[in-house]
């Protein structure tokens, strides 16, 4: 062989031996490098193989029946773990189905990343009608914290890193990552590919306010005669449980948990003002907000709910723009809750004066009256059950199983369960959040079961359940320890509406006496049909002891609920009466 021929031969061998990687593998490697263990999604062009390969590479891939539920699972994974939950969808319609969950995550300050495959850029941008054509990046942008598109395999590492950092740093939220179909089969040298990956260092850096800001806050708090601490879901998210408990117990200040902050300290804690909510909002003089916004859920910090007495607000939040958003914040503490509360703890460690006894006693007296009234209603054994008698049974369930995760949605089913069921541990109550959105139920239940391995009890209005009900198949397929209780009152709020013309069913009612338990049975799970509190308690216990998927259809008096639960006053009223 000539020398020249020999050289060519060697080069050819080197070329075939050169290791290659491609877009598929780089996306998976980038996620794995950053500790992502689970992907929630729905397969299809162009991401079917991405899901398959991710599964083969050891990532857990949970396939749903609808992207919104996969997105909700990812969002709640973010809330529970402080790592972004990943939702993977196909282009246009799949992307849009996931987008509601992304927007909801952003609104609730949960970190998640929606990764969607997309169509040919050249065709999309010329609007030539590609398969599932849509300018997804442009549509996602206003609905999330950040949106990125990766066009070159060599940029996948950077793209994934930016998405992760954007989701969890500062105020957490949703991020969109657009991956065009062509990217997945782009090939590059494996070594260069590996070098292009980025491990995100210190994704959510500690942020500590100045000494001046801390002193200012402590001075205001010290001046209070009737102090109150409000804990929001940001406080639950922060996982600063011990610091928060220590601050509250050292200062002796009463606390009021927002819905998803319940359990940060037990609802049965002597300092809990949960059962005296209206009194403490009205009568307090200094309010310390920890990871709670003064939005509609707190009547924007003003008006009748807050009474006439002058009030001073101190606020701990990672987002500077949150300060003064609704009322003046006299002592802003911009920083991460863990660091800020630790710094406050250092400031109150010696010689802190407990709040005046008159304030503590006022709250105690109000609590006793309200708890007394409530316990009467919980014990009622009426047939059909009303919400309270059914909830009496579930209150007992959570008392006996404080580590179970409670998912809750509906109107009456939500508002009454929130008030009745005491929570004992942090991040165990997951619900409709800032938007009051229906449809989070099964997604949150699946996400919570997958991320924590804990039993999940989903307490669902019959309407609320319908928004994500098909995922009972997913729950059965992955054999998740999820027990669903449907409060079946034949409809939305109540089951009694009629069409005044007599033509159709009323707008808020469903098929009477439906048997949701049969849906679960269709996929191999256990179904129960119960009509009394005792039967309900027994069925839930049996289901939760089994650790297997179960659905309990709990018959509730269709006349028991009120329009929109606790927020009926938000309904606009018509003043024109048609004959
Ligand atoms: P809730 O609905 O329970 O009242 P919100 O969702 O209104 O709670 O408020 C949560 C707040 O917590 C948001 O303003 C968010 O910026 C803030 N937050 C989230 N995580 C942290 C954190 N680690 N440190 C400080 N603030 C945080
Ligand atoms: C995405 C409006 C608020 S509550 C609710 C609806 C439809 C259902 C209430 O009926 P349910 O509960 O669940 O049976 P109960 O116990 O009172 O009978 N679409 C979305 N979100 C919301 N919030 C609505 C509609 C709504
Ligand atoms: Mg209902």
């Amino acid at each position: 062989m000539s020398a020249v021929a020999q050289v060519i031969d060697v080069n050819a061998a080197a070329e075939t031996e050169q290791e290659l990687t491609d877009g598929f593998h780089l996306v998976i490697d980038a996620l794995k490098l950053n500790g992502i263990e689970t992907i929630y999604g729905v397969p299809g062009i162009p991401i079917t193989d991405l899901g398959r390969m991710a599964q083969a590479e050891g990532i857990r891939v949970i396939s749903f029946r609808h992207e919104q539920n996969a997105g909700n699972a990812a969002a709640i994974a973010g809330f529970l773990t402080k790592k972004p939950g990943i939702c993977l969808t196909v282009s246009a319609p799949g992307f849009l189905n996931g987008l509601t969950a992304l927007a909801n995550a952003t609104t609730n300050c949960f970190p998640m990343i929606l990764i969607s495959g997309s169509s040919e850029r050249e065709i999309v941008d010329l609007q030539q009608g590609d398969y599932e054509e849509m300018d997804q990046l442009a549509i996602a942008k206003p609905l999330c914290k950040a949106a990125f598109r990766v066009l070159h395999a060599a940029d996948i590492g950077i793209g994934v890193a930016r998405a992760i950092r954007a989701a969890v740093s500062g105020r957490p939220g949703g991020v969109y990552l657009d991956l065009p179909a062509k990217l997945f089969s782009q090939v590059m040298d494996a070594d260069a590919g590996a070098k292009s990956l980025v491990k995100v260092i210190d994704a959510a850096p500690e942020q500590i306010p100045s000494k001046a800001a801390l002193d200012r806050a402590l001075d205001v708090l010290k001046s209070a005669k009737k102090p109150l601490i409000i804990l929001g879901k940001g406080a639950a998210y922060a996982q600063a449980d011990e610091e928060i408990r220590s601050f509250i117990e050292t200062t002796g200040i009463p606390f009021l948990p927002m819905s998803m902050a319940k359990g940060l300290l037990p609802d049965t804690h002597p300092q809990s003002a949960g059962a005296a909510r209206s009194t403490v909002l009205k009568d307090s003089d200094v309010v310390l907000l920890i990871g709670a916004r003064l939005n509609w859920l707190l009547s924007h910090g003003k008006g009748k709910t807050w009474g006439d007495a002058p009030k001073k607000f101190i606020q701990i939040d990672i987002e500077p723009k949150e300060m003064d958003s609704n009322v003046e914040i006299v002592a802003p503490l911009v920083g991460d809750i863990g660091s800020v509360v630790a710094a406050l703890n250092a400031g109150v460690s010696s010689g802190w004066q407990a709040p005046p006894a008159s304030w503590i006693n006022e709250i105690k007296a109000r609590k006793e009256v309200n708890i007394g009234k409530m316990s009467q209603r919980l014990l009622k054994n009426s047939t059909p059950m009303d919400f309270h008698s059914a909830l009496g049974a579930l209150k007992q369930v959570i008392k006996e199983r404080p580590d179970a995760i409670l998912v809750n949605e509906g109107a009456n089913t939500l508002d009454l369960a929130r008030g009745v069921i005491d929570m004992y541990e942090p991040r165990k109550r997951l619900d409709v959040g800032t938007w009051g959105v229906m449809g989070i139920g099964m997604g949150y239940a699946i996400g919570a079961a997958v991320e924590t391995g804990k039993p999940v009890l989903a307490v669902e209005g019959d309407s609320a359940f319908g928004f994500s009900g098909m995922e009972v198949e997913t729950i059965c397929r992955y054999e998740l320890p999820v027990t669903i209780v449907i409060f079946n009152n034949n409809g939305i709020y109540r089951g009694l509406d009629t069409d005044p013309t007599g033509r159709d069913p009323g707008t808020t009612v469903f098929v009477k006496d439906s048997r949701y338990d049969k849906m679960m049975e269709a996929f191999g799970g256990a179904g129960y049909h119960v009509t009394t509190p005792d039967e309900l308690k027994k069925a839930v216990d049996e289901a939760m002891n089994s650790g297997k998927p179960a659905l309990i259809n709990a018959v509730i008096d269709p006349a028991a609920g009120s329009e929109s639960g606790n927020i009926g006053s938000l309904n606009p009223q018509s003043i024109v009466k048609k004959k």
Side-chain angles (χ1 to χ4, degrees):
M1 204 187 290
S2 75
V4 173
Q6 235 170 11
V7 169
I8 291 170
D9 214 35
V10 168
N11 280 347
E15 216 165 75
T16 48
E17 273 167 30
Q18 181 197 11
E19 269 205 62
L20 298 175
T21 187
D22 62 12
F24 284 112
H25 289 94
L26 286 165
V27 171
I28 294 163
D29 292 346
L31 293 173
K32 282 179 73 171
L33 180 68
N34 284 288
I36 301 295
E37 291 163 359
T38 310
I39 294 174
Y40 302 90
V42 175
I45 297 171
I47 50 91
T48 313
D49 273 345
L50 184 66
R52 286 196 187 109
M53 290 177 183
Q55 190 172 49
E57 295 285 332
I59 292 183
R60 193 150 190 220
V61 182
I62 309 287
S63 282
F64 283 69
R65 306 299 293 255
H66 190 289
E67 292 86 351
Q68 189 178 121
N69 307 318
N72 284 327
I76 212 63
F79 171 72
L80 290 168
T81 64
K82 297 182 91 173
K83 285 195 294 195
I86 307 291
C87 176
L88 180 64
T89 81
V90 303
S91 19
F95 156 78
L96 286 174
N97 285 345
L99 197 56
T100 306
L102 186 71
N104 186 52
T106 307
T107 300
N108 282 290
C109 315
F110 300 161
M112 81 171 263
I113 303 173
L114 176 66
I115 303 180
S116 296
S118 57
S119 312
E120 297 266 334
R121 284 256 44 89
E122 293 81 351
I123 303 180
V124 173
D125 288 349
L126 271 172
Q127 298 167 41
Q128 293 172 312
D130 200 3
Y131 168 70
E132 297 193 345
E133 173 178 303
M134 177 172 277
D135 188 358
Q136 295 168 199
L137 188 72
I139 290 165
K141 258 182 198 163
L143 296 170
C144 56
K145 269 186 83 177
F148 305 102
R149 176 185 293 135
V150 182
L151 291 175
H152 301 294
D155 292 332
I156 286 172
I158 289 290
V160 168
R162 295 201 74 186
I164 290 172
R165 192 179 288 281
V168 296
S169 60
R171 169 179 281 174
V175 174
Y176 175 59
L177 187 60
D178 192 85
L179 303 182
K182 265 199 216 163
L183 177 77
F184 294 110
S185 35
Q186 268 182 41
V187 170
M188 69 183 285
D189 174 74
D191 278 345
K195 287 198 188 102
S196 73
L197 301 182
V198 176
K199 188 169 163 65
V200 179
I201 309 295
D202 197 11
E206 284 181 2
Q207 201 179 311
I208 305 157
S210 67
K211 173 138 188 345
L214 288 160
D215 288 346
R216 185 193 298 124
L218 285 171
D219 284 346
V220 177
L221 204 55
K222 269 182 212 155
S223 74
K225 302 272 178 299
K226 299 183 168 193
L228 173 68
I229 292 172
I230 297 183
L231 299 170
K233 57 174 138 24
Y237 173 79
Q239 298 193 14
D241 309 338
E242 280 318 306
E243 293 290 1
I244 290 171
R245 175 193 282 269
S246 163
F247 182 72
I248 288 175
E249 291 184 343
T250 306
T251 58
I253 298 174
F255 68 93
L256 182 68
M258 299 300 285
S259 195
M260 283 179 63
K262 274 164 70 82
L264 215 43
L265 283 82
D267 283 328
T268 49
H269 193 284
Q271 283 170 258
S272 167
R277 186 176 192 272
S278 13
T279 302
V280 289
L281 292 183
K282 237 189 232 98
D283 292 351
S284 53
D285 61 355
V286 171
V287 179
L288 166 60
L289 298 154
I290 308 184
R293 286 170 285 185
L294 282 175
N295 56 17
W296 71 280
L297 287 157
L298 284 169
S299 308
H300 304 281
K302 53 200 170 191
K304 262 204 339 242
T305 311
W306 291 88
D308 301 326
K311 226 162 281 261
K312 288 183 177 163
F313 287 99
I314 307 167
Q315 183 161 28
I316 307 177
D317 205 291
I318 193 105
E319 173 57 63
K321 293 199 297 291
E322 189 55 41
M323 305 298 156
D324 309 320
S325 58
N326 285 270
V327 297
E328 181 189 19
I329 302 299
V330 301
L333 289 167
V334 176
D336 74 282
I337 288 166
S339 303
V340 177
V341 178
L344 290 176
N345 274 333
V348 301
S349 56
S350 61
W352 184 265
Q353 185 116 34
S358 55
W359 175 231
I360 303 299
N361 291 337
E362 180 188 341
I363 297 169
K364 192 163 165 253
R366 174 51 53 190
K367 269 172 72 175
E368 276 164 15
V369 171
N370 288 346
I371 290 172
K373 269 195 227 159
M374 169 88 81
S375 55
Q376 294 300 311
R377 302 188 68 181
L378 299 182
L379 288 174
K380 241 180 34 193
N381 210 344
S382 49
T383 331
M385 290 187 279
D386 63 10
F387 287 95
H388 282 91
S389 48
L391 286 167
L394 299 184
K395 178 190 174 91
Q396 190 60 24
V397 168
I398 295 297
K399 189 174 178 188
E400 291 164 10
R401 302 168 192 270
D403 71 329
I405 294 176
L406 179 70
V407 172
N408 190 199
E409 60 177 336
N412 295 280
T413 302
L414 174 89
D415 289 332
L416 297 171
R418 180 177 50 229
V420 169
I421 302 178
D422 288 329
M423 304 306 297
Y424 302 87
E425 294 179 10
R427 294 170 294 283
K428 298 295 190 188
R429 189 187 150 81
L430 312 175
D431 68 25
V432 301
T434 304
W435 267 348
V437 66
M438 295 299 111
I440 49 84
M442 297 306 103
Y444 280 12
I446 293 168
V450 167
E451 297 293 331
T452 68
K454 299 281 183 202
V456 174
L457 177 67
V459 179
E460 301 270 317
D462 51 338
S463 165
F465 172 70
F467 287 75
S468 66
M470 193 63 213
E471 303 297 345
V472 293
E473 188 276 327
T474 310
I475 291 169
C476 289
R477 189 166 14 109
Y478 290 93
E479 301 179 27
L480 298 172
V482 175
T483 300
I484 304 159
V485 176
I486 310 283
F487 275 10
N488 187 356
N489 62 350
N490 290 346
I492 300 176
Y493 315 138
R494 293 159 70 84
L496 300 175
D497 245 355
T498 54
D499 174 355
T501 71
R503 183 174 56 186
D504 283 322
T507 56
T508 62
V509 299
F510 299 143
V511 169
K512 240 164 89 66
D513 306 328
S514 298
R515 290 289 301 272
Y516 292 95
D517 46 315
K518 308 254 184 216
M519 280 177 72
M520 185 54 105
E521 287 173 356
F523 302 106
Y528 299 84
H529 176 70
V530 304
T531 58
T532 68
D534 288 346
E535 283 172 16
L536 174 57
K537 173 76 171 39
K538 205 163 146 266
V540 176
D541 279 339
E542 191 176 302
M544 294 187 83
N545 287 340
S546 79
K548 303 233 169 72
L551 191 153
I552 297 156
N553 185 59
V555 178
I556 303 286
D557 183 355
S562 54
E563 178 105 352
S564 303
N566 283 356
I567 55 173
S569 63
L570 298 181
N571 282 305
Q573 301 290 323
S574 167
I575 49 164
V576 179
K577 291 267 176 286
K578 286 242 171 156
K579 282 211 195 84

